[in-house]
């Protein structure tokens, strides 16, 4: 039995943060019902690359989800949603604050129907405060969290990630919030509202910058790939024009690296005794490490660091990830059967559990594929489903 097999989750969110939260819950057994607009579908279907018109990202982020095409903005759609919510454990939504209330499916209504329901509300800036009504996307959170300010070359502009970083962090955080709220419900029978902004989780990930500023008046700055906490720490170009990343967070590793690159004399310098003081000599250390690496091919560098017990990694692109022996043998990526593509390579479930491992049961489905079955489970007859479909409230 999968660990969340007895949970019913309604995914009424779109794009990435909410859907990723529900993907994780589905991977560990939850029955996830994905609600989409009958005509527009989820915008996530149009994100990323497609093969023969089939969206590839959708296949992963909507795996293990049954899909229901339902117009929540119509009274008839709201009525269907209330019936579904009466039987659910969790609802995840990411509409602007007040939208669910306007549709007659706000928390007061839902908790009157189902007192034990956990309602997760994911927005850019939360349900309250001056920015709550603003449109919120991960890009804005990446800018406002301090991430962009700290990312990029020292003499370059603030840099945004090339992927949904803030949304992904928020989605993972939301899955933890759901389980925390369900733990409370198990003890008390009470459901609750989880107010989770996209901004807060990435602010936490960026680190203690606000505390440092409040206590010391220091504002962190961009340093490229260097760290303010230890050195050497950077990416370095090899003789065959490939890149490796080196980290020396531990003192013993820093010493091994300097011995390896032929400069053991610096280990005895007083300033070498801590990462913070090594940073004051970062140009010198980078030159020692960088020049040694530049004289060798990437494979030679990797072998030498491994032999020395030092920390190094090749800088991977997607091809490198797919071909890496550790990633494949430890099943971080797995081939999943798919009704459209035959088989598709996907990220595995996010963590391994010895007693109750997760499972990818099926990949993302076409719009409205499970509408009839889902409505039938909450009491709708074939005739009632046909009338809803005729009125274009479902698909």
């Amino acid at each position: 039995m999968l660990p969340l097999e007895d949970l019913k989750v309604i995914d009424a969110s779109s794009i990435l943060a909410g859907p990723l939260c529900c993907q994780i819950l589905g991977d560990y057994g939850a029955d996830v019902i994905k609600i989409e607009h009958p005509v527009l579908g989820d915008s996530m279907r149009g994100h990323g690359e497609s093969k023969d018109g089939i969206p590839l990202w959708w296949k992963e982020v909507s795996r293990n989800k049954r899909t229901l095409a339902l117009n929540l903005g119509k009274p008839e759609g709201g009525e269907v949603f209330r019936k579904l919510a009466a039987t659910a454990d969790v609802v995840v939504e990411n509409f602007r604050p007040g939208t669910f209330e306007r549709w007659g499916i706000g928390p007061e209504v839902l908790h009157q129907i189902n007192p034990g329901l956990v309602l997760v509300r994911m927005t850019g800036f939360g349900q309250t405060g001056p920015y709550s009504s603003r449109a919120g996307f991960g890009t804005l959170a990446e800018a406002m969290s301090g991430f962009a300010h700290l990312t990029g070359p020292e003499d370059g502009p603030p840099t945004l990630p090339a992927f949904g970083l803030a949304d992904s962090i928020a989605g993972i955080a939301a899955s933890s919030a759901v389980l925390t709220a369900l733990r409370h419900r198990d003890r008390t029978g009470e459901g609750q509202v989880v107010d989770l902004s996209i901004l807060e989780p990435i602010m936490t990930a960026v680190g203690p910058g606000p505390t440092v500023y409040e206590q010391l008046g220091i504002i962190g700055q961009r340093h490229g790939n260097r760290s303010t906490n230890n050195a050497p720490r950077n990416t370095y170009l090899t003789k065959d024009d490939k890149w490796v990343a080196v980290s020396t967070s531990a003192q013993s590793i820093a010493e091994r690296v300097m011995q390896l690159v032929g400069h053991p004399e610096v280990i005895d310098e007083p300033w070498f005794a801590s990462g913070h003081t090594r940073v004051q000599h970062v140009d010198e250390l980078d030159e020692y490490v960088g020049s040694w690496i530049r004289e060798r091919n990437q494979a030679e560098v990797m072998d030498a660091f491994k032999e020395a017990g030092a920390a190094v990694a090749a800088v991977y692109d997607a091809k490198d990830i797919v071909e890496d022996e550790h990633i494949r043998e430890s099943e971080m990526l797995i081939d999943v059967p798919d009704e459209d593509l035959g088989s598709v390579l996907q990220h595995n479930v996010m963590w391994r559990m010895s007693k109750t491992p997760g499972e990818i049961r099926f990949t993302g489905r076409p719009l409205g594929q499970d509408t009839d079955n889902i409505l039938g489970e909450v009491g709708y007859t074939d005739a009632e489903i046909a009338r809803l479909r005729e009125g274009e409230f479902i698909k």
Side-chain angles (χ1 to χ4, degrees):
M1 182 175 178
L2 295 169
L4 304 181
E5 199 167 294
D6 57 344
L7 293 181
K8 179 181 283 188
V9 176
I10 299 176
D11 180 2
S13 61
S14 61
I15 306 297
L16 183 54
L20 178 57
C21 166
C22 295
Q23 175 201 317
I24 294 169
L25 299 175
D27 284 351
Y28 292 92
D31 176 18
V32 181
I33 297 172
K34 173 67 184 176
I35 293 182
E36 303 177 73
H37 190 279
V39 178
L40 303 175
D42 187 337
S43 298
M44 195 70 200
R45 290 183 182 271
H47 274 57
E49 301 290 341
S50 295
K51 180 180 180 182
D52 300 328
I54 299 166
L56 299 177
W57 200 352
W58 177 263
K59 286 293 183 180
E60 178 166 321
V61 79
S62 292
R63 69 193 189 195
N64 294 330
K65 300 179 185 180
R66 297 191 290 161
T67 177
L68 165 65
L70 176 66
N71 191 337
L72 293 176
K74 298 293 184 180
E76 294 82 355
E79 176 60 27
V80 172
F81 186 85
R82 287 188 288 273
K83 288 187 177 181
L84 290 169
T87 67
D89 298 282
V90 179
V91 169
V92 178
E93 64 100 354
N94 67 342
F95 293 92
R96 289 199 196 188
T99 303
F100 256 37
E101 287 83 351
R102 189 170 68 251
W103 290 342
I105 52 176
E108 290 186 3
V109 172
L110 296 182
H111 281 143
Q112 188 173 21
I113 297 169
N114 183 353
L117 182 70
V118 172
L119 173 60
V120 182
R121 314 195 79 175
M122 301 186 69
T123 57
F125 305 104
Q127 297 293 311
T128 61
Y131 301 161
S132 61
S133 62
R134 291 185 182 181
F137 296 98
T139 298
L140 310 187
E142 287 146 11
M144 293 178 63
S145 64
F147 173 87
H149 173 76
L150 293 173
T151 304
E154 190 170 2
D155 57 353
T159 302
L160 296 167
F163 55 94
L165 178 63
D167 278 281
S168 297
I169 295 173
I172 296 168
S175 68
S176 177
V178 166
L179 298 180
T180 302
L182 290 173
R183 177 65 170 159
H184 171 78
R185 190 195 66 175
D186 290 344
R187 290 174 169 172
T188 66
E190 296 176 332
Q192 61 182 299
V193 176
V194 176
D195 178 6
L196 195 152
S197 75
I198 297 175
L199 178 58
E200 284 188 83
I202 190 172
M203 280 179 60
T204 300
V206 169
T211 304
V212 172
Y213 171 72
E214 185 268 336
Q215 291 290 316
L216 301 174
I218 297 173
I219 298 175
Q221 301 298 322
R222 289 184 291 285
H223 299 282
N225 291 320
R226 289 174 169 177
S227 170
T228 58
N229 299 313
N230 66 82
R233 187 264 200 181
N234 212 327
T235 57
Y236 304 92
L237 189 63
T238 64
K239 183 179 180 180
D240 52 348
D241 290 327
K242 297 180 180 181
W243 291 91
V244 295
V246 173
S247 175
T248 57
S249 296
Q251 181 67 24
S252 60
I253 298 296
E255 293 175 4
R256 292 172 193 170
V257 169
M258 299 318 298
Q259 288 171 342
L260 173 63
V261 302
H263 289 278
E265 73 279 1
V266 300
I267 297 172
D268 296 325
E269 295 287 346
W271 53 262
F272 198 84
S274 74
H276 184 71
T277 51
R278 289 201 305 274
V279 168
Q280 299 168 21
H281 296 260
V282 64
D283 290 334
E284 176 184 352
L285 295 174
D286 262 352
E287 172 59 27
Y288 291 154
V289 176
S291 61
W292 185 90
I293 288 176
R294 192 71 176 104
E295 295 174 353
R296 292 160 175 81
N297 291 333
Q298 188 188 65
E300 296 177 78
V301 173
M302 298 295 293
D303 288 343
F305 268 73
K306 180 180 177 181
E307 177 90 15
V312 68
V315 176
Y316 278 1
D317 59 20
K319 179 176 181 291
D320 297 320
I321 294 170
V322 169
E323 295 177 352
D324 181 87
E325 61 179 356
H326 177 81
I327 289 173
R328 295 308 295 265
E329 287 186 18
S330 59
E331 297 189 326
M332 295 181 188
L333 297 173
I334 60 172
D335 294 296
V336 183
D338 180 79
E339 58 185 310
D340 298 312
L341 300 171
S343 177
V344 59
L345 186 68
Q346 292 190 354
H347 299 99
N348 202 348
V349 299
M350 201 167 289
W351 51 81
R352 310 292 182 266
M353 301 176 70
S354 62
K355 300 295 184 183
T356 52
E359 179 182 67
I360 303 173
R361 301 179 297 284
F362 52 87
T363 58
R365 291 178 165 176
L367 177 63
Q369 178 170 321
D370 303 290
T371 295
D372 289 27
N373 287 338
I374 292 168
L375 296 189
E377 290 170 1
V378 292
Y380 282 89
T381 65
D382 291 344
E384 289 170 329
I385 292 172
R387 282 196 295 272
L388 287 169
R389 184 167 282 118
E390 185 177 347
E392 299 184 346
F393 305 120
I394 65 171
K395 178 180 178 182

